[in-house]
Amino acid sequence: MKIAIGSDHGGFEYKKEIISMLTEQGHNVKDFGTYTTDSCDYPEYAKSVAKAVADNEYERGILICGTGIGMSIVSNKFKGIRAALCSDTFSAKATREHNDSNILCLGARVISLDLAKEITSTWIDTPFSNEERHIRRINMIE
Ligand code: RB5
């Protein structure tokens, strides 16, 4: 799967680990930055990843900041983006099945790295249910 990933300084370390995991799993991952631990502005990275996913250049996106909240606020402003902030695997599975979410947001200061990786794998591996009621609701968002 073609995946776009980005973080601010708060999510930088988790981003590195998640890129390694996804690459080992055989995914094609593009890192949109940040590339250092220097303090930076999360809206820039959210915008780059959200645009790349909204323009269908990547199937999915992953955004990581301290809480995941800033990344989800910004990315959900882009038409066609359904970003889900997840701190548990139940939500990660449900948001793929019900919302067909195309961006996963994670908070590196909220959850452990192991849990972040587990949530990411669950979210990547879960297909959309394609159930009529969920399609109808997604169309209402658009
Ligand atoms: C950076 O200090 C922090 O504000 C950011 O990573 C994020 O949590 C914003 O929502």
Side-chain angles (χ1 to χ4, degrees):
M1 187 182 290
K2 276 187 80 180
I3 302 167
I5 190 165
S7 77
D8 71 355
H9 53 288
F12 177 75
E13 296 296 337
Y14 277 34
K15 174 163 64 70
K16 273 200 307 196
E17 298 288 336
I18 287 174
I19 290 171
S20 297
M21 179 188 77
L22 291 172
T23 304
E24 273 170 32
Q25 290 172 355
H27 297 289
N28 177 355
V29 187
K30 160 82 173 167
D31 184 357
F32 282 79
T34 182
Y35 304 112
T36 73
T37 51
D38 294 347
S39 181
C40 62
D41 301 328
Y42 63 81
E44 271 186 33
Y45 306 95
K47 179 181 170 185
S48 304
V49 168
K51 264 182 68 62
V53 174
D55 292 346
N56 288 316
E57 289 166 20
Y58 294 85
E59 291 170 73
R60 307 267 195 94
I62 299 172
L63 286 165
I64 313 166
C65 64
T67 58
I69 295 171
M71 292 301 200
S72 68
I73 291 171
V74 177
S75 52
N76 273 315
K77 291 192 178 296
F78 288 77
K79 188 166 168 50
I81 294 301
R82 292 177 301 280
L85 171 56
C86 295
S87 298
D88 62 274
T89 54
F90 175 84
S91 300
K93 185 167 185 287
T95 189
R96 285 291 310 131
E97 290 173 344
H98 292 209
N99 318 120
D100 196 15
S101 54
N102 48 15
I103 290 188
L104 172 68
C105 299
L106 298 166
R109 295 176 184 155
V110 180
I111 55 173
S112 70
L113 176 60
D114 281 350
L115 180 54
K117 288 162 88 173
E118 207 184 326
I119 288 168
T120 302
S121 290
T122 302
W123 185 79
I124 289 291
D125 293 342
T126 305
F128 177 50
S129 66
N130 257 309
E131 286 175 26
E132 190 280 329
R133 69 184 194 284
H134 295 311
I135 294 171
R136 183 180 69 242
R137 290 163 190 163
I138 290 167
N139 287 336
M140 289 170 78
I141 301 171
E142 296 303 317

